[in-house]
């Protein structure tokens, strides 16, 4: 099995089924990630790449607010140190270490998950467990690679006990770190992985199904929303929709 086939299999896009009495596709007509990327599944609302420069945004839930005195002027090293030393919420007491984020600090692509799990807590890096393997395959499907023009971070930097969903006050406390990361990275596109990341960034509750397929805005940076890889591992039939979302992300970046 070549790598393209492996990635297509991962995304439930392989094999291609053909109706009886119809000629089987010849090998060169089979989908490749590149060909599938040419598909533009859903129109984006508007292209806002390179758009607004807002420093703050008061959200409906009041949690997506940049607090300049907290992180606003920190450079990378200062920010890393501050996260490492943070005890601002109850999560730190229950985790092994903080998980800051990883990747290209000038990346155009920023992927944001929920929070570290057991593997990430042990290794100090986001998305290194099973969900991380799927995320790596999703990246590969659109010709991206962890660390190369890609940064990966989480909404909260400490593992919630038992992998529970982070609570609103924990998200509120931790979000300024991600906001500063975004300011420093200046990504062209943020991809929120899962409902927790999406609703934390948007500052409002909604179903993931209602949020995906539309270009949103996070403090002036275009924001797309897709399923969390851990959810896709549990619900593999949804991988086709995640693939649509990735296609939309690529077409948004190409504009
Ligand atoms: N799930 C997340 O949301 N983030 C990780 O880093 C790992 C699993």
């Amino acid at each position: 099995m070549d790598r393209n086939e492996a990635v297509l299999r991962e995304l439930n896009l392989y094999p291609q089924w053909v109706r009886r009495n119809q000629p089987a596709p010849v090998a060169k007509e089979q989908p490749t990630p590149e060909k599938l990327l040419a598909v533009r599944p859903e129109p984006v609302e508007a292209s806002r790449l390179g758009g607004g420069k807002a420093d703050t945004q008061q959200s409906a839930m009041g949690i997506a607010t940049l607090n300049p005195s907290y992180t606003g002027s920190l450079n990378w090293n200062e920010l890393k140190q501050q996260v490492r030393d943070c005890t601002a919420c109850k999560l730190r007491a229950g985790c092994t270490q903080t998980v800051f984020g990883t990747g290209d600090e000038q990346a155009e692509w920023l992927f944001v998950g929920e929070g570290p799990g057991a593997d990430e807590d042990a290794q100090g890096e986001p998305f290194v467990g099973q969900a991380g393997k799927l995320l790596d395959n999703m990246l590969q499907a659109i010709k991206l690679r962890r660390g190369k023009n890609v940064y990966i971070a989480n909404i909260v930097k400490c593992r919630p006990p038992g992998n529970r969903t982070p609570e609103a006050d924990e998200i509120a406390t931790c979000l300024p770190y991600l906001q500063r990361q975004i300011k420093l990275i200046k990504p062209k596109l943020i991809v929120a992985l899962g409902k927790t990341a999406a609703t934390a960034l948007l500052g409002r509750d909604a179903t993931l199904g209602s949020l995906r397929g539309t270009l949103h805005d996070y403090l002036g940076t275009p924001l797309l929303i897709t399923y969390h890889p851990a959810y896709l591992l549990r619900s593999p039939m949804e991988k086709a929709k995640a693939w649509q979302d990735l296609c939309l992300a690529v077409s948004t970046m190409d504009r």
Side-chain angles (χ1 to χ4, degrees):
M1 196 195 314
D2 67 17
R3 288 183 81 79
N4 273 349
E5 183 184 329
V7 169
L8 290 168
R9 277 185 191 280
E10 184 71 74
L11 294 170
N12 279 5
L13 297 165
Y14 195 95
Q16 259 195 313
W17 299 104
V18 178
R19 290 176 81 97
R20 276 180 206 185
N21 306 325
Q22 291 202 345
V26 291
K28 67 179 167 42
E29 288 174 346
Q30 287 187 343
T32 62
E34 304 91 88
K35 279 187 188 164
L36 287 162
L37 283 178
V39 177
R40 309 216 164 190
E42 295 169 57
V44 284
E45 263 183 351
S47 174
R48 281 178 272 169
L49 290 171
K53 298 239 180 313
D55 281 309
T56 60
Q57 176 176 287
Q58 186 67 50
S59 72
M61 283 158 67
I63 60 172
T65 306
L66 183 70
N67 177 351
S69 64
Y70 198 71
T71 61
S73 61
L74 301 180
N75 65 29
W76 275 112
N77 284 340
E78 291 164 341
L79 184 63
K80 286 174 190 170
Q81 184 69 49
Q82 187 147 336
V83 169
R84 209 176 296 132
D85 294 344
C86 184
T87 54
C89 85
K90 57 188 176 300
L91 290 182
R92 182 65 188 90
C95 73
T96 308
Q97 59 186 318
T98 57
V99 178
F100 180 77
T102 188
D104 179 349
E105 293 176 355
Q106 272 119 41
E108 292 179 311
W109 293 80
L110 171 62
F111 290 81
V112 180
E114 177 176 310
D119 294 311
E120 293 74 22
D121 182 61
Q123 294 184 45
E125 182 171 331
F127 284 100
V128 290
Q130 285 307 310
K133 287 199 184 110
L134 178 55
L135 178 59
D136 286 340
N137 285 342
M138 291 162 71
L139 294 178
Q140 192 191 326
I142 54 170
K143 303 268 178 261
L144 293 176
R145 192 148 52 81
R146 180 186 288 254
K148 199 159 173 253
N149 205 18
V150 170
Y151 198 92
I152 303 172
N154 280 310
I155 294 290
V156 296
K157 311 301 189 201
C158 292
R159 182 192 181 201
N163 292 346
R164 68 159 168 74
T165 305
E167 292 167 0
D169 64 308
E170 296 157 354
I171 292 173
T173 305
C174 213
L175 205 57
Y177 295 135
L178 179 64
Q179 289 172 331
R180 187 62 193 153
Q181 285 175 304
I182 294 170
K183 278 277 175 188
L184 290 167
I185 297 167
K186 303 184 194 71
K188 274 175 79 174
L189 181 67
I190 301 171
V191 180
L193 302 166
K195 179 172 159 140
T196 301
T199 55
L201 292 175
L202 289 173
R204 67 188 161 90
D205 198 16
T207 63
L208 195 123
S210 70
L211 296 174
R212 56 176 288 275
T214 302
L215 192 60
H216 302 271
D217 175 272
Y218 182 66
L219 302 177
T221 303
L223 166 68
L224 283 175
I225 288 153
T226 191
Y227 294 101
H228 193 288
Y231 171 76
L232 295 174
L233 290 173
R234 295 192 301 273
S235 309
M237 295 311 289
E238 303 286 43
K239 286 181 184 174
K241 289 189 203 154
W243 175 249
Q244 282 189 327
D245 298 337
L246 292 176
C247 292
L248 176 57
V250 170
S251 64
T252 301
M253 280 296 222
D254 285 348
R255 283 168 172 234

